[in-house]
């Protein structure tokens, strides 16, 4: 496929990145720590960053997606622009929430 990830539909992205459940993998915790540190550098200091979802729970099967919850107090739109300018792709948006992906920046943790 010749499209950039940012140009793909959700259906195309799900085909490219299917949901696969695997045993707990400590590399996902390490990846979260690395990514959280990077997010802390670029987002406002008041931002709260947490590892959530199945990869945050040891001893359970999980999909190879590290879910990170970023709580922004202040300018929601400004944080979105920062993420977009740093390689994140906006997947969805509502009045109180936005969902972004960065597809492990080339790291696949299967």
């Amino acid at each position: 496929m010749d499209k950039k990830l940012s140009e793909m539909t959700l259906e195309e992205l799900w085909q490219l990145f299917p949901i696969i459940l695997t045993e707990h993998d400590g590399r996902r915790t390490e990846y979260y720590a690395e990514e959280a540190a990077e997010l802390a550098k670029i987002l406002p200091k008041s931002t709260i960053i947490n590892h959530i979802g199945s990869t945050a729970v040891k001893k359970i099967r999980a999909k190879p997606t590290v879910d990170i919850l970023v709580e922004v107090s202040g300018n929601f739109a400004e944080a979105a622009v920062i993420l977009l300018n740093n390689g994140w792709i906006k997947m969805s948006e509502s009045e109180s929430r936005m969902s972004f992906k960065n597809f492990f920046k080339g790291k696949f943790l299967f």
Side-chain angles (χ1 to χ4, degrees), residues 47-70:
T47 302
I48 299 169
I49 303 168
N50 287 294
H51 187 186
I52 63 168
S54 57
T55 61
V57 181
K58 294 180 180 178
K59 299 182 182 179
I60 68 167
R61 294 174 58 80
K63 61 189 182 307
T65 301
V66 175
D67 295 316
I68 301 173
L69 176 65
V70 175

Side-chain angles (χ1 to χ4, degrees), residues 91-107:
M91 302 297 288
S92 65
E93 179 176 0
S94 69
E95 245 181 74
S96 61
R97 152 183 206 281
M98 290 184 200
S99 176
F100 292 84
K101 292 203 179 288
N102 79 353
F103 298 101
F104 297 109
K105 296 181 181 173
K107 296 179 185 180

Side-chain angles (χ1 to χ4, degrees), residues 15-88:
Q15 286 179 350
L16 189 59
F17 301 100
I19 294 173
I20 300 167
L21 296 178
T22 61
E23 297 301 322
H24 179 78
D25 185 336
R27 293 179 300 163
R28 295 175 184 152
T29 303
E30 293 169 18
Y31 175 75
Y32 161 74
E34 292 171 16
E35 198 60 39
E38 291 300 313
L39 288 169
K41 289 179 190 174
I42 62 173
L43 292 169
K45 299 295 178 209
S46 61
T47 302
I48 299 169
I49 303 168
N50 287 294
H51 187 186
I52 63 168
S54 57
T55 61
V57 181
K58 294 180 180 178
K59 299 182 182 179
I60 68 167
R61 294 174 58 80
K63 61 189 182 307
T65 301
V66 175
D67 295 316
I68 301 173
L69 176 65
V70 175
E71 297 178 67
V72 177
S73 61
N75 192 333
F76 202 53
E78 179 184 343
V81 169
I82 291 169
L83 291 172
L84 291 168
N85 288 337
N86 282 276
W88 291 77

